[in-house]
Amino acid sequence: MKQTLPLLALALTSSGAGAAPTISSLSDLPYNDDDRLEEHIFAYPAGECASLVDADTSIHDGQWGHKFVALEGEAYGAVFGHLEGVDASAPPTDAKSFHDCFAACLEKGTHRDVVARPLPHRYWQKGEVDDEGTINKVESADAFLTSDSCGKVEYGFVNYHENSVKIYWINERTGEPIYNQELGHGEHETSFITTFIGHKFQLYDTEPNEDPLQNEMLAEIAIPNHGVLGIKNHKQPHVPKDDVEFQVQRTLRSEWRRHLNVKRTFSPLGFQKGRLPDDMFASLGAYRYNNRNPPHKVHEEWGSHKGVFVNYWETDVNFIQIPWNLKRRWQGRLLKMVEAWTGVELDITDMYGMREYTKGARLLTHVDRESTHAASMIVNVAQDNVTKPWTVEVHDHANRLHEVVMNPGDIVYYESAKCLHARNTPLENGNYINLFTHYRPKGDPDWYRRDTPEGTPEPLIDVGSCRLEGSLDQYSNGAVKCENDAIGPHLTQKKNVESMNSRLKLVMKSGKAHLGYKVGLKGLRTGKSKMVLIASNCPPLRKSEMEYLAMLAKVPVHHYSGDNTELGTACGKLFNCSIVSILDGGDSDILSSKE
């Protein structure tokens, strides 16, 4: 991605801001039907500070797309009361100049639940702006409104047109198109520019005429907020992938070997669920909401070079790229959270854009790059019309499977190069939007070759016996209880063994079943298997293979709560069995049961 220099700021002037509306409840702000701010807001205390704003001839309501609003009462306390040195009970009464006041810019698209918590750099306090610990002098309300706290934004362009594209900025005073840059093809040629809300751009084809302004105008936009615009879309073929079964088996074996190569650990389980601070959730949520539809989101560039980790040939996987400075702010805040979890000073290595999974999506069991992905974070930014939990599956340091339910604003810390993780169950419906960010020990790209330092929490291996105490569809609520409570609430639940044993007995008597791993694979390949049962102590690699191939064949999988000895016994055999394939249920209701 390219980053270009800021464009010239051009804004109209007026004789003063004029009297802005005063509100005492944040519910009086302008929200749309999705409970999102439908305008950018320049907010400041009512009373003397509002009078100073009204008299300031350098600013005006609507400047850089911001509606001016004075706050009092509950609204004032909610937005400004948490700031250091601010009296939350009432606006200042001794303000002689705007330097005695404070203000905030609330971002369009922010949900009403977190509208009172913009990021720190969106606050102006007595001539200063705190940009993630760096204090910058901002001498006037006009300078604040024109800064990247408010009106200055980053906007990106990604080109999937067959030709390169030329971008022109439109001078609002003269209407003249001013050449900005030429944009190549694809995600790696994405370019972000620094500009201002309301500035206009036009994008032209470079063919067939030498003068692009004589060619087709492919897009025109007045900048509304931080964002990105796609010119056409990446074409992702939805055709059956060749040799997908072979590739899945090979990939799973490779990922299993890779996870064993990492020596160092950071935490007892290898993962932990957490929650974003409100201001981070507000910022991420607003950015995604403002770019939630095409042409702002585009198809992610998947293909044979990226393997079979995401089933891009079956379902759309969409992508929203993130501007440089916004990414820097998010990365810095999340870094502190991951460092607190690991207890280690870290380097930022990567932050991926927002990936939107759609109906039918799944993510194959895998680990991440060893040199760069020591400690990572999944951020669930949003969910649209998701009615059934789509759990993230994480194997802990003892290779036990945990299934974690995430809601918007939830995070999962995880040792992503060490702990296998996946979402093998297809997303039942809706859209599921995640952000991924990655870190490694400071200055140490070979961290994974080293032994775990003294003082690091020991991996949790022995948790004693475990039992089912919850319902079959209960996740992340302690459905499985173990003698050692440190295992946490996410250990995956198992089905009722007695009921399943009775059904298996009837299958063996009146139906047909094959026992074993190899015949299980054959049954899935030939389409003869109607159901697969997997013992609790089935080797994780084989378990993942069977689960994934069963998903491809649209065959249900039952996780048997007993071990391979108990499963063999339930089938009337005197030998151990980790895999049972049901070909014919016979007189049993095993194939129709929801248990």
Side-chain angles (χ1 to χ4, degrees):
M1 287 190 299
K2 297 180 290 186
Q3 185 179 26
T4 61
L5 295 174
L7 294 172
L8 176 67
L10 292 177
L12 298 176
T13 59
S14 73
S15 59
T22 298
I23 65 171
S24 58
S25 172
L26 293 179
S27 62
D28 293 330
L29 290 173
Y31 299 100
N32 63 18
D33 292 341
D34 294 327
D35 285 332
R36 301 278 180 166
L37 272 183
E38 60 182 4
E39 294 183 77
H40 298 285
I41 302 295
F42 177 54
Y44 44 87
E48 293 184 2
C49 289
S51 297
L52 291 166
V53 170
D54 294 344
D56 191 337
T57 59
S58 68
I59 59 176
H60 62 93
D61 182 41
Q63 186 168 334
W64 303 125
H66 282 67
K67 178 180 178 63
F68 284 29
V69 178
L71 307 182
E72 63 181 7
E74 179 186 339
Y76 164 80
V79 174
F80 298 115
H82 67 288
L83 299 177
E84 185 177 354
V86 170
D87 180 0
S89 62
T93 58
D94 57 351
K96 305 302 181 185
S97 72
F98 199 63
H99 272 252
D100 299 321
C101 299
F102 30 89
C105 282
L106 312 181
E107 189 174 9
K108 173 185 172 183
T110 304
H111 196 277
R112 69 162 67 229
D113 290 346
V114 286
V115 73
R117 286 295 181 271
L119 289 176
H121 78 284
R122 289 186 171 273
Y123 282 98
W124 189 87
Q125 288 185 263
K126 299 185 176 181
E128 295 181 341
V129 171
D130 181 354
D131 189 359
E132 305 302 332
T134 300
I135 305 301
N136 298 317
K137 293 289 185 182
V138 181
E139 295 297 336
S140 67
D142 177 52
F144 178 63
L145 277 163
T146 307
S147 74
D148 66 355
S149 299
C150 304
K152 183 191 289 186
V153 297
E154 293 175 278
Y155 213 85
F157 301 93
V158 55
N159 175 31
Y160 290 107
H161 183 56
E162 58 188 15
N163 304 318
S164 62
V165 171
K166 289 197 174 181
I167 303 174
Y168 290 82
W169 170 64
I170 307 303
N171 187 319
E172 69 176 80
R173 289 177 177 167
T174 65
E176 179 187 3
I178 308 297
Y179 175 73
N180 178 261
Q181 62 179 293
E182 185 168 348
L183 191 65
H185 186 274
E187 180 184 318
H188 67 287
E189 291 290 334
T190 301
S191 179
F192 279 95
I193 61 175
T194 304
T195 183
F196 295 86
I197 293 171
H199 276 200
K200 295 179 181 179
F201 292 85
Q202 294 176 349
L203 294 88
Y204 289 87
D205 197 345
T206 53
E207 299 290 341
N209 299 303
E210 184 175 346
D211 180 4
L213 296 176
Q214 301 301 313
N215 295 326
E216 180 185 2
M217 185 169 67
L218 300 171
E220 183 175 28
I221 186 171
I223 301 299
N225 39 249
H226 288 288
V228 62
L229 179 74
I231 298 90
K232 299 191 176 178
N233 204 344
H234 175 61
K235 294 180 180 179
Q236 202 72 273
H238 284 188
V239 296
K241 188 169 177 61
D242 294 336
D243 301 322
V244 64
E245 181 182 315
F246 169 74
Q247 291 188 53
V248 166
Q249 289 181 298
R250 182 180 64 182
T251 299
L252 286 170
R253 291 190 175 101
S254 173
E255 297 304 298
W256 179 260
R257 289 192 297 268
R258 287 181 60 209
H259 109 280
L260 295 174
N261 290 335
V262 178
K263 298 174 66 176
R264 182 173 179 176
T265 62
F266 297 89
S267 64
L269 285 173
F271 77 97
Q272 184 176 323
K273 184 178 177 180
R275 183 76 185 171
L276 280 176
D278 282 350
D279 61 345
M280 282 292 294
F281 186 35
S283 181
L284 271 76
Y287 183 78
R288 184 265 164 176
Y289 184 82
N290 293 335
N291 294 277
R292 69 194 182 279
N293 295 320
H296 309 291
K297 71 176 181 183
V298 296
H299 293 155
E300 188 176 0
E301 293 183 14
W302 280 90
S304 59
H305 64 293
K306 288 191 175 181
V308 293
F309 296 104
V310 175
N311 57 333
Y312 62 87
W313 61 94
E314 296 176 317
T315 183
D316 286 338
V317 184
N318 297 317
F319 190 59
I320 303 173
Q321 296 199 58
I322 304 167
W324 292 98
N325 285 329
L326 194 59
K327 179 186 289 189
R328 172 184 61 81
R329 289 190 171 104
W330 290 350
Q331 282 178 319
R333 286 289 299 281
L334 297 176
L335 169 66
K336 295 174 184 176
M337 298 171 66
V338 180
E339 285 182 332
W341 178 61
T342 60
V344 174
E345 192 175 3
L346 301 171
D347 283 331
I348 297 168
T349 56
D350 192 18
M351 175 180 278
Y352 204 54
M354 294 181 181
R355 177 185 290 166
E356 180 184 77
Y357 301 93
T358 61
K359 181 180 179 180
R362 58 86 191 142
L363 190 63
L364 188 64
T365 304
H366 68 287
V367 287
D368 295 339
R369 292 193 298 271
E370 292 92 342
S371 63
T372 55
H373 292 45
S376 302
M377 181 189 287
I378 303 169
V379 180
N380 184 220
V381 180
Q383 297 178 28
D384 296 335
N385 303 314
V386 175
T387 56
K388 182 179 179 180
W390 194 41
T391 58
V392 55
E393 305 160 19
V394 186
H395 290 80
D396 65 21
H397 293 315
N399 292 319
R400 293 173 294 243
L401 178 62
H402 301 251
E403 295 189 75
V404 185
V405 174
M406 299 183 72
N407 294 310
D410 284 345
I411 58 177
V412 171
Y413 305 96
Y414 63 124
E415 300 177 31
S416 62
K418 174 68 173 174
C419 294
L420 290 157
H421 51 282
R423 294 181 191 263
N424 281 304
T425 301
L427 177 61
E428 188 169 281
N429 53 23
N431 299 326
Y432 197 101
I433 301 89
N434 280 345
L435 177 77
F436 305 91
T437 185
H438 307 283
Y439 308 88
R440 71 180 176 205
K442 196 167 187 64
D444 190 6
D446 294 322
W447 67 272
Y448 59 96
R449 304 180 190 274
R450 311 191 194 290
D451 293 329
T452 301
E454 290 187 10
T456 303
E458 291 289 329
L460 183 62
I461 304 299
D462 183 10
V463 295
S465 62
C466 302
R467 63 194 182 278
L468 176 68
E469 290 192 353
S471 62
L472 298 180
D473 60 351
Q474 185 177 352
Y475 299 95
S476 290
N477 284 302
V480 177
K481 297 291 186 184
C482 301
E483 291 179 15
N484 187 342
D485 290 338
I487 192 65
H490 309 292
L491 196 63
T492 188
Q493 79 279 9
K494 305 298 180 184
K495 313 281 182 164
N496 186 294
V497 65
E498 295 302 325
S499 177
M500 183 53 66
N501 284 351
S502 65
R503 291 187 174 96
L504 277 173
K505 184 176 180 180
L506 197 54
V507 169
M508 302 307 292
K509 181 179 179 179
S510 61
K512 187 176 182 180
H514 285 164
L515 280 64
Y517 168 70
K518 291 184 178 180
V519 290
L521 290 178
K522 183 177 180 181
L524 291 173
R525 292 192 188 105
T526 60
K528 293 182 178 180
S529 289
K530 301 297 188 294
M531 184 178 189
V532 174
L533 285 77
I534 304 176
S536 63
N537 64 339
C538 179
L541 177 58
R542 289 191 172 186
K543 175 177 176 292
S544 293
E545 285 184 291
M546 293 302 296
E547 287 176 333
Y548 189 77
L549 295 177
M551 186 272 291
L552 291 177
K554 296 180 171 58
V555 172
V557 174
H558 176 94
H559 295 96
Y560 186 75
S561 63
D563 60 19
N564 57 351
T565 301
E566 293 171 292
L567 183 55
T569 301
C571 294
K573 306 300 180 182
L574 298 179
F575 53 80
N576 296 341
C577 174
S578 293
I579 305 290
V580 175
S581 296
I582 309 297
L583 281 67
D584 182 353
D587 297 331
S588 167
D589 67 349
I590 193 168
L591 298 179
S592 59
S593 173
K594 298 297 183 183
E595 187 176 274

